[in-house]
């Protein structure tokens, strides 16, 4: 078995360096999908007609173990990563997720700092798990909420799960100290764009930051069409006409969301504009799929198999070298070139499903 080469303080016991890609973008954020399963069948991510009862999900031994995930994260931290986000599928479906969080919370950067450890969830199990997640070392959560109208919310998740239980989970997470909490709303024209203002009104003046996400062409199963995208500029215009807004400067290089605050001081919102205002030039994120493939873009066609490397006996020096080579060769900028592709070319391009790679 390969030597872990990890010191007692959670740092990798070998020399590594911060990484940049071909476009001089550093590696700062790692998103790790811990399961390809989800208990929702959201129409923009895991439509029921594709992910039905007979869909073949990964077997347990195909998933990265917690030890393998921790090993990758430790090497990534030595390469300059300071933020980890656990995703899925629905990450709270992974049995023993608190144990993984404990292991990840023990990792330190070369300077001895803990990582920023976050998790994205549909909120269905959050009321039950919030306290344990915080105790394990999780810093904060992001929760998907696509509507406050219960009928519409249930139609969108397509499993008749009530929005009230998600809202209870959000409040439980806040009480447990898993904040600041961000709420993500994927906006799809003709489906839930009529909810933009009511969502803004409901969460205005609360501790939560609501973020509106343009409907994206992730994967090949959601039937994406550009006509269904509500541009972020339109979202800001709709909200600003009722609740005046002003822009806020970013706090971190490479932030995905453009921030806007209410001029009356009652909080802020964000918009993620990967379709109409791409931010590829500042993208610092890599993704690890459920079974251990490293993807350098959300819209990538293929990944690099780190699981085979680890299970084949590679030590941490070899793992670090592989990750450095992969990131160093990165030149992805799909969101910037999307506009120049014809609909036929966009359709022909193979993309990994969001439920597999994480958001």
């Amino acid at each position: 078995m390969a030597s872990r080469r990890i010191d007692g303080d959670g740092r990798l016991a070998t020399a590594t360096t911060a990484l940049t890609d071909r476009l001089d973008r550093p590696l700062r954020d790692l998103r790790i999908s811990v399961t390809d399963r989800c208990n929702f069948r959201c129409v923009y991510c895991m439509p029921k007609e594709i992910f039905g009862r007979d869909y073949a999900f990964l077997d347990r031994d195909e998933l990265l173990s917690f030890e393998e995930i921790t090993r990758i994260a430790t090497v990534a931290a030595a390469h300059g990563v300071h933020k980890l986000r656990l995703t899925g599928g629905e990450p709270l479906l992974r049995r023993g997720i608190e144990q993984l969080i404990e292991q990840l919370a023990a990792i330190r950067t070369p300077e001895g700092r803990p990582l920023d450890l976050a998790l994205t969830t549909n909120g269905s199990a959050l009321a039950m798990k919030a306290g344990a997640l915080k105790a394990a070392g999780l810093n904060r959560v992001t929760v998907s909420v696509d509507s406050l109208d219960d009928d519409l919310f249930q139609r969108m998740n397509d499993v008749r799960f009530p929005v009230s239980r998600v809202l209870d989970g959000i409040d439980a997470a806040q009480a447990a100290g898993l904040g600041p909490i961000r709420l993500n709303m994927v906006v799809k024209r003709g489906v839930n764009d009529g909810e933009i203002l009511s969502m803004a009104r409901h969460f205005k003046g609360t501790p939560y930051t609501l973020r509106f996400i343009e409907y994206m062409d992730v994967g090949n199963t959601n039937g994406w069409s550009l006509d269904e995208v509500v541009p972020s500029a339109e979202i800001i215009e709709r909200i600003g006409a009722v609740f005046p807004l002003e822009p806020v400067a970013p706090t971190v290089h490479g932030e995905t969301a453009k921030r806007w605050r209410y001029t009356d001081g009652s909080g802020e919102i964000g918009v993620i504009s990967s379709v109409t205002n791409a931010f590829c030039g500042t993208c610092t994120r890599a993704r690890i799929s459920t079974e251990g493939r490293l993807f350098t873009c959300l819209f990538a066609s293929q990944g690099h198999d780190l699981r085979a490397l680890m299970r084949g006996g590679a030590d941490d020096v070899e793992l670090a070298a592989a990750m450095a080579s992969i990131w160093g060769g990165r030149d992805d900028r799909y969101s910037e070139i999307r506009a120049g592709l014809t609909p036929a070319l966009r359709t022909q391009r193979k993309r990994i499903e969001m439920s597999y790679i994480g958001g």
Side-chain angles (χ1 to χ4, degrees):
M1 185 171 66
S3 170
R4 290 289 301 280
R5 296 177 60 86
I6 297 174
D7 285 337
D9 61 1
R11 282 179 279 185
L12 184 68
T14 185
T16 55
T17 57
L19 304 179
T20 56
D21 66 10
R22 290 183 180 180
L23 301 180
D24 204 32
R25 297 169 295 188
L27 175 60
R28 291 288 182 266
D29 308 86
L30 187 65
R31 301 188 174 193
I32 304 171
S33 175
V34 298
T35 179
D36 61 335
R37 298 172 187 264
C38 186
N39 54 333
F40 285 8
R41 288 296 177 266
C42 295
V43 295
Y44 56 81
C45 182
M46 294 181 71
K48 189 178 288 183
E49 59 270 23
I50 303 295
F51 297 89
R53 292 181 181 273
D54 297 328
Y55 185 81
F57 290 99
L58 294 170
D59 292 332
R60 184 172 181 82
D61 62 355
E62 294 181 275
L63 308 182
L64 287 180
S65 68
F66 290 169
E67 289 71 25
E68 287 169 332
I69 292 172
T70 302
R71 188 177 170 199
I72 289 173
T74 302
V75 171
H79 272 317
V81 164
H82 58 244
K83 176 180 175 182
L84 298 179
R85 177 172 295 278
L86 301 181
T87 67
E90 169 47 46
L92 297 186
L93 293 183
R94 180 75 185 259
R95 185 178 301 175
I97 188 71
E98 297 86 355
Q99 178 187 343
L100 173 61
I101 290 169
E102 286 182 358
Q103 293 176 203
L104 297 176
I107 297 173
R108 295 294 181 267
T109 67
E111 298 77 27
R113 294 192 297 269
L115 302 180
D116 178 11
L117 185 53
L119 180 146
T120 297
T121 174
N122 62 26
S124 59
L126 199 49
M128 179 175 58
K129 285 183 169 283
L133 295 171
K134 179 64 177 179
L138 189 68
N139 298 128
R140 53 194 173 81
V141 294
T142 296
V143 185
S144 300
V145 188
D146 294 322
S147 175
L148 293 172
D149 179 274
D150 195 50
D151 287 340
L152 178 56
F153 185 80
Q154 292 191 34
R155 289 200 304 273
M156 291 191 72
N157 66 53
D158 209 13
V159 293
R160 301 192 62 79
F161 195 93
V163 70
S164 60
R165 290 176 60 185
V166 175
L167 296 177
D168 289 343
I170 293 168
D171 290 339
Q174 177 69 14
L178 290 171
I181 295 173
R182 294 169 178 169
L183 310 178
N184 284 348
M185 177 186 180
V186 175
V187 183
K188 186 175 180 181
R189 192 180 297 280
V191 177
N192 66 335
D193 59 311
E195 290 285 291
I196 292 171
L197 193 56
S198 61
M199 288 279 287
R201 180 180 288 110
H202 181 87
F203 291 109
K204 183 175 183 286
T206 71
Y208 313 127
T209 298
L210 178 61
R211 304 193 303 178
F212 300 89
I213 302 176
E214 292 179 345
Y215 177 45
M216 293 181 288
D217 52 333
V218 179
N220 299 282
T221 62
N222 66 3
W224 184 86
S225 169
L226 185 59
D227 294 338
E228 296 171 322
V229 176
V230 180
S232 291
E234 180 181 331
I235 293 171
I236 293 300
E237 183 178 2
R238 288 198 205 181
I239 297 172
V242 179
F243 305 117
L245 296 164
E246 60 186 8
V248 180
T251 55
V252 180
H253 176 78
E255 278 184 341
T256 58
K258 297 290 186 182
R259 299 166 56 205
W260 295 77
R261 64 183 166 218
Y262 297 109
T263 57
D264 64 4
S266 59
E268 68 176 60
I269 62 171
V271 289
I272 298 177
S273 318
S274 67
V275 177
T276 64
N277 190 13
F279 39 83
C280 299
T282 58
C283 180
T284 60
R285 290 168 294 284
R287 292 168 169 82
I288 302 294
S289 71
T290 310
E291 90 301 32
R293 290 186 178 274
L294 172 60
F295 289 84
T296 55
C297 179
L298 178 60
F299 303 97
S301 298
Q302 61 183 5
H304 306 267
D305 194 350
L306 299 184
R307 185 190 67 183
L309 195 64
M310 292 186 291
R311 294 185 184 179
D315 65 18
D316 288 329
V317 175
E318 293 169 310
L319 181 60
M323 293 176 67
S325 176
I326 294 165
W327 188 265
R330 176 188 190 238
D331 61 2
D332 304 281
R333 56 185 192 92
Y334 173 75
S335 289
E336 289 181 348
I337 68 174
R338 178 198 288 110
L341 299 176
T342 65
L345 286 175
R346 285 197 298 263
T347 301
Q348 292 168 11
R349 181 186 172 97
K350 181 182 178 182
R351 293 179 298 275
I352 304 302
E353 298 298 330
M354 185 179 289
S355 57
Y356 168 82
I357 195 178

